[in-house]
Structures are given as structure tokens and as C-alpha cells.
Amino acid sequence: MRDHSVEALNIVAELLKRALGDEWVVTDRDLIEGYAYDETPEPIRPKAAEHLVLVKPASTEEVSRVLKIANEYRVPVFPVGGRTGLVGGCIPTKPGIVLSLERMNKIEVDRENLMAVAEAGATLRDLVKAAEGAGLFFPPHPGDEGAQIGGLIATNAGGVRAVKYGVMRNYVRGLEVVLPTGEVLRLGGKLLKNNAGYDLMQLFIGSEGTLGVITKAVIRLFPRSRYMVTLIVPFSSRADALRAVPEVLRSGAMPLAIEYVQLEEVKRAAEYMGEKWPVEEGPAQLIIILDGMRLEEVLHACDEVARICEARGAIKVLVVDSPREQDRVLRIRGNIYTAIKRDLLDILDVAVPPAKLGDLMDAVDEVASRYGVDLPIYGHAGDGNLHVHIMKGARGLEVVDMIRQEVYKAVVRLGGTITGEHGVGKLRAKSLDLFLSEKHIEIMRKIKRIFDPNGILNPVEHL
Ligand SMILES: Cc1cc2nc3c(=O)[nH]c(=O)nc-3n(C[C@H](O)[C@H](O)[C@H](O)COP(=O)(O)OP(=O)(O)OC[C@H]3O[C@@H](n4cnc5c(N)ncnc54)[C@H](O)[C@@H]3O)c2cc1C
């Protein structure tokens, strides 16, 4: 039987070469392999299609040409960023075009307005450096700096420093987007306020490459705080550690980050990096980052946080104040996933109201003991967002679905969501109805059809 999707793709590949030049249209499957997967744990990672064409446009105009051709021939297009996603969002699961914006990576910092204009293919690393170079600060820090601006916005990424200033959505002030039909939309701008009409820009943030291709963004930056201190606070039980979090949030200390880690995994990450984790006692630990313009203000906040944690049973409070050491602590924290990845079956990304963190922990402990498995947890406790890890071990893939389902049900019962930051991608679609109503999903499908009438952009089951 003839495969029409492959035939159409072959025709489209020739048209793309004419539009972009041979050099930027790759058809050799071996050269595409590195673009065909992301950081999703291997046992549950969706399989990429065999027949793929990789394109690397250099401008918004070229992205538009790619989409017009694809739309005319009804060929799927899969936008990829840094491929650091954890839910298979960018994996090209059907014969189609893999669209990488890596050549579009310029960043201009506008100090007057405290904003950066970044092309979608620039990396988080590039943005952090550009902001620092201008004496400014881009607070959010999802763990992998290879993520690209387009991917960060398309997933509405969060990360370690979201407690005080919020997730990606809170930073994006303007967007340039190419629709699946090839038209270009420019939304928002260098504006802090904008109430003109429905906010379509917000719709694209977190749309995971299903509504349009993000080509450029205006991103808000902040003045750099003069003083920053990191506290590492070990506890003997995870419930105690997590029950301290809402109290810290209520105290008015306003940390930049409140992370929860477990000694075993954070030590493994340190070893993986050839480093040593500074606190060897207490299986459950909080990492709290405080910042401010005046030293007394930061020290006062440290005292307040230490007092709360000690009242909750903290073993001690380690103060890390040198910028180099603080950077080392953050890097070790950011590498936990990479260090334990090969022993993982799945990483869940649940979020509950912060005051329910202790209850979430009890529920996870209960599931773990019922299935006789270890479910290590770490994550962004200050946002109520924790990553529950289902590890390889005595139990295989057959229990993953059951454990995941049980954890999700407990989370929803606590008023939480099945994904706080990683998104739906191609892995979580089947669980969406646990959290979203039928009506909500129906409206999402209709919105998808308005932007993408032929369903070519990153086609996923639930839309
Ligand atoms: C070690 C590690 C730590 C991590 N820590 C965090 C964390 O703390 N917080 C967090 O939120 N995430 C975290 N992640 C997940 C991941 O880094 C984020 O989801 C990130 O935003 C993905 O960006 P990316 O450029 O790699 O996108 P990709 O993985 O390439 O793609 C992700 C999605 O975005 C779409 N997309 C990409 N570019 C575009 C574009 N230009 N236009 C439209 N759609 C596009 C893709 O189609 C896909 O659906 C972590 C991942 C790793 C490996």
C-alpha cells in the first residue's frame, strides 16, 4: 500500500529546499536523530516517526514559508526548541517536518525599559548572560539552560526562582507568532499594561507548539538585587520540611525560591558532578533563596525563616552567602534529574495549593507503601509544585500507570493539578480529563481548529 503521508513529505522536502536553500533542509535520518527526542525518561518516551525532514529557517519570513507549504500539503510540523522537555512535547510522532529555530538566536537588551527582545532560538543560557551583561536579572531558572526561548514560552516554564516573581507567563510582554496557515501575528509589546481585546498572547504561552510557532518575544527583566543568601535547612522528616513551607510564605520574607530536596538524590547529583553537597544530615531538606537591596533586610528575612524552620523541627540552618557557593548549590540542585534519569520510569509534575503540601506527602507515602516502591520527591515547594519519581526496580513498567493514576487522583482531591510546569506534551493527554471538564476540553479543541484548521501543527491526541 502507498503511504500518502510519506509521498507528500517527499514533495514538500523539494519545495522547502527551494524556499530555504538545500543546506537548511536535512533529509538524512541519521542527521535528524538528535532532533527526534527530548529528555523524557526513555522507558515512557513516545517513539519518533521514521520519515522526517528537518528545517532550519533563518527568519520569521522563512518560518512563514515553511508553514504555508506544510499547510497546503497537510504535512505535520513539529516545532522543537532545546529538546529539554520532559513530556515528549516536541517529539515528531508522525511523518512530517521538524522545525528548529536555532539560527534565530539574537537578543537585544533594552535597559531603559528593563526588557529583552529575544528570538525564539536563543537559549536560556544566552538570556541569563545577556541580562547580566546589562546589569539586570532574569529570575526564572528551569534546570536546563539549553532550553530555548520558544520552548520556555511554549511550555510556560517555571523552575527554581519562580516564588517571588512567577513563571514565564509573568515575564512575556510581547510575542511574534507564525500561525499554522503562515500568517504572522504580533501581540503585546514593550508594555507593562495592555487591555486591548482578548489576550491572545497569553493563549500562546503554554500552548506547547500546537497553536503557532513563536519566533520572537519581549521579555521583562528586573534590576539585580544587591544581596542574595541561600539557606540549606535539613529536617528529619519530609512532612516536617514541607509543613514549614506555607509558614515561610506567610511570614512576608518573600523568598526568591523554596526548593525541597532529599539528601539521597541531591548527594547523587553532587557526586555525578564531582562535587560535595554541603549538608550531610537530615533526609529531607529545604533550599531557600532570599534576596534584597539592603543587607539588613536580607539578614532579617534569614532570621525569620530560620526561626520558622527551627520551630518546625529543622536540624540546623546552613547559611551560604558567597555568590560562587550559591551558584554551586543551584547547579547541583539543577542536576538531580540528570543524575537519576537512567534509573527512572517516570517523573510526575504535580502541583497543589502550598498549604496542602504536607497532605500531598502523606498521600504519596501511602501509595508508595501500598505498591512497595520508593517514590523519591523533589521540586519547587514554594510553588506547591513537586516532582514525584517512579523509579526502576523490582516493579516494572506495568505498575507505572497505576501509581501515576493514584497520585494524580490524590492530587486532584487536594485541589491540585496533574502538571504544574512540564505541560501535557504527548504523555499526559490521556490523564487530562482527571483535571479538566469535558466542556473545557471541547473549548480547547475549538480554539485549536480556529488557529490550525488543518491540524498540522504538533498534532496530539487530545486536540
Ligand atoms: C534537567 C532538567 C531540568 C528541568 N527543570 C525544569 C524546571 O525547573 N521547570 C520547568 O518548567 N521545566 C523544567 N524542565 C523541562 C524543560 O526544560 C522545559 O519544559 C523547557 O521550557 C523546554 O524548553 P525547550 O526549548 O527544551 O523545548 P522543547 O523540549 O524543545 O519543546 C517543548 C515544547 O515547546 C514547543 N516549542 C518549542 N519551541 C517552540 C517555538 N518556537 N514555538 C512554538 N512551540 C515551540 C515544542 O513543540 C514542545 O511542545 C527541565 C528539564 C531538564 C532536562
Side-chain angles (χ1 to χ4, degrees):
M1 209 172 66
R2 280 164 55 188
D3 186 341
H4 292 287
S5 58
V6 174
E7 275 177 23
L9 188 60
N10 291 338
I11 298 170
V12 159
E14 289 311 310
L15 295 174
L16 291 170
K17 282 181 185 166
R18 262 182 253 161
L20 266 59
D22 287 6
E23 194 184 344
W24 307 114
V25 180
V26 183
T27 50
D28 179 340
R29 188 61 173 79
D30 288 345
L31 299 179
I32 300 174
E33 188 54 25
Y35 291 80
Y37 58 88
D38 62 4
E39 290 292 327
T40 304
E42 206 262 321
I44 53 159
R45 190 190 289 158
K47 197 171 159 7
E50 200 42 48
H51 297 281
L52 296 168
V53 175
L54 167 66
V55 294
K56 300 182 182 181
S59 65
T60 304
E61 217 269 309
E62 287 192 353
V63 173
S64 162
R65 270 192 253 160
V66 171
L67 288 166
K68 278 188 182 143
I69 294 170
N71 192 45
E72 188 181 337
Y73 287 84
R74 312 288 194 260
V75 167
V77 178
F78 298 90
V80 299
R83 287 96 69 204
T84 68
L86 298 169
V87 285
C90 69
I91 297 182
T93 45
K94 296 182 172 175
I97 299 167
V98 178
L99 175 64
S100 169
L101 303 190
E102 67 200 61
R103 291 169 70 208
M104 297 171 62
N105 59 4
K106 282 192 224 60
I107 299 179
E108 277 169 28
V109 176
D110 174 352
R111 289 191 77 231
E112 297 288 300
N113 286 307
L114 290 148
M115 290 188 202
V117 179
E119 288 188 317
T123 61
L124 173 61
R125 188 174 300 114
D126 298 334
L127 180 63
V128 168
K129 267 201 199 138
E132 279 176 9
L136 297 173
F137 181 42
F138 177 65
H141 199 272
D144 192 325
E145 290 192 346
Q148 296 179 3
I149 302 302
L152 291 167
I153 296 173
T155 56
N156 186 27
V160 166
R161 294 189 296 221
V163 180
K164 190 165 177 178
Y165 300 105
V167 296
M168 260 336 264
R169 189 180 294 289
N170 304 96
Y171 293 84
V172 179
R173 307 310 312 157
L175 272 190
E176 181 185 77
V177 180
V178 184
L179 297 179
T181 42
E183 291 118 313
V184 179
L185 264 187
R186 293 192 175 87
L187 306 160
K190 287 183 181 174
L191 299 168
L192 293 175
K193 287 180 146 184
N194 172 21
N195 267 352
Y198 294 162
D199 198 340
L200 297 189
M201 187 180 82
Q202 292 296 335
L203 201 51
F204 284 99
I205 302 170
S207 65
E208 300 186 56
T210 62
L211 298 183
V213 177
I214 296 158
T215 45
K216 202 188 277 184
V218 180
I219 295 170
R220 192 172 183 188
L221 302 175
F222 282 83
R224 214 170 31 202
S225 0
R226 275 207 198 117
Y227 301 96
M228 195 181 281
V229 171
T230 299
L231 307 178
I232 304 180
V233 192
F235 291 81
S236 31
S237 98
R238 50 191 198 179
D240 282 348
L242 288 167
R243 289 208 161 90
V245 173
E247 284 182 48
V248 171
L249 289 172
R250 269 199 305 275
S251 71
M254 256 343 247
L256 203 53
I258 309 179
E259 292 289 294
Y260 170 77
V261 294
Q262 297 186 168
L263 184 58
E264 192 177 328
E265 290 80 36
V266 81
K267 266 173 78 178
R268 225 173 125 179
E271 273 158 31
Y272 171 82
M273 295 168 68
E275 302 268 9
K276 195 166 177 296
W277 185 246
V279 179
E280 293 273 343
E281 59 209 308
Q285 304 190 353
L286 294 178
I287 303 170
I288 301 172
I289 307 178
L290 295 149
D291 73 331
M293 283 308 198
R294 290 186 313 119
L295 183 60
E296 311 83 81
E297 169 204 345
V298 178
L299 293 179
H300 178 72
C302 285
D303 285 347
E304 186 61 14
V305 170
R307 189 188 58 73
I308 292 169
C309 291
E310 278 160 3
R312 272 279 165 201
I315 298 167
K316 67 176 189 183
V317 177
L318 179 78
V319 181
V320 185
D321 54 5
S322 94
R324 209 153 147 233
E325 268 301 288
Q326 292 188 72
D327 183 53
R328 198 171 72 89
V329 166
L330 189 63
R331 275 187 300 109
I332 296 174
R333 156 66 189 94
N335 269 281
I336 299 181
Y337 178 73
T338 319
I340 66 172
K341 187 176 143 187
R342 72 188 142 90
D343 296 331
L344 263 185
L345 291 172
D346 199 354
I347 166 175
L348 308 184
D349 163 46
V350 295
V352 292
K356 296 281 184 189
L357 278 169
D359 298 338
L360 171 64
M361 203 52 58
D362 293 344
V364 172
D365 282 343
E366 196 272 319
V367 175
S369 80
R370 196 144 35 83
Y371 284 87
V373 290
D374 183 24
L375 297 174
I377 294 186
Y378 62 80
H380 317 300
D383 304 319
N385 177 204
L386 291 177
H387 303 311
V388 179
H389 296 76
I390 309 177
M391 308 299 287
K392 287 179 187 165
R395 315 295 300 267
L397 261 181
E398 71 282 357
V399 295
V400 173
D401 282 346
M402 289 187 273
I403 293 174
R404 186 193 303 119
Q405 199 72 359
E406 299 239 14
V407 173
Y408 281 173
K409 279 190 183 152
V411 163
V412 172
R413 251 194 332 267
L414 293 170
T417 170
I418 62 163
T419 168
E421 56 176 20
H422 295 165
V424 177
K426 301 197 174 67
L427 281 188
R428 310 300 181 208
K430 58 180 183 289
S431 308
L432 257 190
D433 61 355
L434 282 178
F435 181 63
L436 300 181
S437 69
E438 238 174 77
K439 192 71 194 166
H440 190 141
I441 295 175
E442 182 197 320
I443 294 172
M444 280 178 28
R445 286 203 182 104
K446 287 184 179 159
I447 291 173
K448 166 75 173 169
R449 242 173 279 141
I450 294 173
F451 286 99
D452 185 10
N454 296 314
I456 61 155
L457 199 60
N458 208 1
V460 250
E461 281 159 55
H462 66 294
L463 291 171

